[in-house]
Amino acid sequence: MTDSLRVAMIGYGFMGAAHSVGWRQAPRVYDLPLDVEMAVIVGRNQDAVAEAAAHWGWSESATDWREVIARDDIDIVDIVTPGDSHAEIAIAALEAGKHVLCEKPLANTVEEAERMLAAAQRAGERGQRAVVGFTYRRVPAVTFLRDLIAQGVVGNVQQVRAAYRQDWLVDPQMPLAWRLQKEHAGSGALGDIGAHIIDMVQFVTGQAVASVSGTMDTIVTQRPLLGSGSGLSGTAAEGFGEVTVDDVAIFTGRLEGGALASFEATRFATGRKNGLTVEVSGDKGALYFDLEDLNALQFYDRTAPDDRQGFTKILVTEASHPYLSAWWPAGHMLGYEHGFVHQAKDLVEGIAAGTDPHPTFAEGLSVQRVLAAVEQSSANDSIWVRVDAPATR
Ligand code: SOE
């Protein structure tokens, strides 16, 4: 391994922790063409970000992202902040000559995402890479699901069912957080977890969502404020703040190949902790993925003899399966964090090869357009809304 890529990560919350594990493990598990140095972690609170640097193994901590992205000794800017700062930071980093990894969803609006894509296209001409952090694509079973569909094992895709169910907001005493305020998050369950299943359906089927009809709902409209200094707008005098995003988004999508896809994104599925499921049904069979059983796929083969029909479990842990060659022997399971290791690996390899790893900012924009179409539909009695022409992939 020769030169190193020096990473600056902007943000240090839950995603900051997951990305830190990815940067740390990727060059140790995979034989990468370039090494990775976890150079700087950036956050507004000096003490907190210094503690995060020490905890997660970053060489330095800083509080001014503009100063960090201007440094000549930084190659990659990894953005794990709330969506309201993605556009400003990503565009500045691209214009400063850096490669960019931006957490999902790409932005809080289509307009921001379009400006980010334009900046990424200009930067691409200078050899810079730009990637969106839809890491569930990089769960080996999901990449394998995409491969099996492309091989035709389910035949023509006739229907898709996707859901992402969590329950962390069922408690009305759960305080107001940035994910519950439109000015910070753009939307609620729709953009936070609905974005994942929109991207996943487009990824595994290879088809864009062409039109949608949907309904969004906010179940708990006010929540306790964490208190002054929490950085949240709201009327501290009453101790409560308005929830200005959706708690639940349920929508139907028409894929460009004609199949109908159903989507459910909710933070009120009591008992479901991180329940992302996708089922793809075709005339030759069906495939099913469940994130809470992420090392496996369920496969139904209609072409099998009648007396042997049934969903079978494919354990996606063989060395021949995507990403697995560098990990453990068959049957030794991977976890949630491995998608972040694979993300770091793919970006480093893309930089070395001069190719944009997926999902590109164009794919991030296509998800943003579906999000906007669902919001438009929900605001207009769930009418069908065409998704603007999908960006070039
Ligand atoms: C919260 O809903 C959250 O952390 C999302 O923001 C992530 O994208 C998802 O992977 C897990 O749940």
Side-chain angles (χ1 to χ4, degrees), residues 14-15 103-104 135-136 164 166 168 178-179 192-193 196 267 273-274 291 336 340:
F14 168 26
M15 281 300 117
E103 255 303 320
K104 44 53 63 183
T135 49
Y136 292 134
Y164 199 155
Q166 298 177 339
W168 59 282
W178 68 262
R179 281 189 169 91
D192 183 28
I193 50 181
H196 277 299
R267 293 158 164 169
K273 302 307 171 185
N274 205 31
L291 182 62
Y336 170 75
F340 295 89

Side-chain angles (χ1 to χ4, degrees), residues 357-374:
H358 65 82
T360 63
F361 277 20
E363 292 173 270
L365 172 58
S366 76
V367 172
Q368 211 71 43
R369 286 184 165 137
V370 177
L371 298 175
V374 173

Side-chain angles (χ1 to χ4, degrees), residues 7-28:
V7 184
M9 184 168 72
I10 320 295
Y12 59 98
F14 168 26
M15 281 300 117
H19 282 233
S20 297
V21 170
W23 290 120
R24 169 76 50 204
Q25 294 292 2
R28 286 168 172 73

Side-chain angles (χ1 to χ4, degrees), residues 171-247:
D171 177 0
Q173 290 309 310
M174 183 77 179
L176 202 66
W178 68 262
R179 281 189 169 91
L180 307 179
Q181 297 224 320
K182 189 170 183 62
E183 67 267 31
H184 298 296
S187 62
L190 176 67
D192 183 28
I193 50 181
H196 277 299
I197 49 180
I198 293 165
D199 176 70
M200 189 173 291
V201 167
Q202 296 192 138
F203 173 62
V204 300
T205 64
Q207 298 181 36
V209 176
S211 57
V212 295
S213 162
T215 303
M216 297 159 70
D217 195 15
T218 304
I219 296 170
V220 173
T221 57
Q222 288 210 332
R223 289 186 177 273
L225 286 174
L226 292 177
S228 62
S230 59
L232 294 165
S233 57
T235 47
E238 288 76 49
F240 282 83
E242 286 300 311
V243 173
T244 52
V245 297
D246 55 291
D247 289 325

Side-chain angles (χ1 to χ4, degrees), residues 3 57 59 72 111 147 156 250 285 288 340-341 389:
D3 300 338
S59 304
D72 293 337
E111 183 275 333
D147 296 347
N156 296 318
I250 296 175
Y288 175 79
F340 295 89
V341 178

Side-chain angles (χ1 to χ4, degrees), residues 122-363:
R122 291 192 298 272
E125 290 162 14
R126 298 191 295 267
Q128 295 164 241
R129 315 281 46 114
V131 180
V132 191
F134 285 113
T135 49
Y136 292 134
R137 290 178 169 218
R138 295 186 158 84
V139 172
V142 175
T143 299
F144 190 49
L145 169 58
R146 187 275 312 267
D147 296 347
L148 289 174
I149 291 170
Q151 291 165 25
V153 301
V154 303
N156 296 318
V157 173
Q158 296 176 318
Q159 196 183 341
V160 181
R161 295 160 207 87
Y164 199 155
R165 303 179 176 119
Q166 298 177 339
D167 70 356
W168 59 282
L169 284 180
V170 170
D171 177 0
Q173 290 309 310
M174 183 77 179
L176 202 66
W178 68 262
R179 281 189 169 91
L180 307 179
Q181 297 224 320
K182 189 170 183 62
E183 67 267 31
H184 298 296
S187 62
L190 176 67
D192 183 28
I193 50 181
H196 277 299
I197 49 180
I198 293 165
D199 176 70
M200 189 173 291
V201 167
Q202 296 192 138
F203 173 62
V204 300
T205 64
Q207 298 181 36
V209 176
S211 57
V212 295
S213 162
T215 303
M216 297 159 70
D217 195 15
T218 304
I219 296 170
V220 173
T221 57
Q222 288 210 332
R223 289 186 177 273
L225 286 174
L226 292 177
S228 62
S230 59
L232 294 165
S233 57
T235 47
E238 288 76 49
F240 282 83
E242 286 300 311
V243 173
T244 52
V245 297
D246 55 291
D247 289 325
V248 185
I250 296 175
F251 54 104
T252 305
R254 175 78 70 181
L255 300 186
E256 58 189 344
L260 277 181
S262 57
F263 297 86
E264 176 194 5
T266 177
R267 293 158 164 169
F268 279 75
T270 309
R272 299 292 180 197
K273 302 307 171 185
N274 205 31
L276 187 162
T277 60
V278 173
E279 181 167 278
V280 180
S281 307
D283 57 325
K284 289 173 63 180
L287 282 161
Y288 175 79
F289 170 75
D290 179 352
L291 182 62
E292 292 181 352
D293 183 17
L294 66 78
N295 289 281
L297 288 177
Q298 300 286 337
F299 173 44
Y300 186 94
D301 182 359
R302 280 195 71 239
T303 67
D306 288 350
D307 63 356
R308 259 154 287 169
Q309 301 250 342
F311 272 96
T312 56
K313 180 171 185 175
I314 302 172
L315 201 55
V316 186
T317 59
E318 298 293 334
S320 58
H321 282 131
Y323 298 106
L324 264 300
S325 59
W327 291 106
W328 322 123
H332 295 66
M333 307 305 190
L334 300 191
Y336 170 75
E337 74 280 11
H338 292 82
F340 295 89
V341 178
H342 302 158
Q343 175 173 259
K345 162 203 175 289
D346 288 347
L347 178 51
V348 170
E349 290 179 345
I351 290 169
T355 55
D356 259 350
H358 65 82
T360 63
F361 277 20
E363 292 173 270

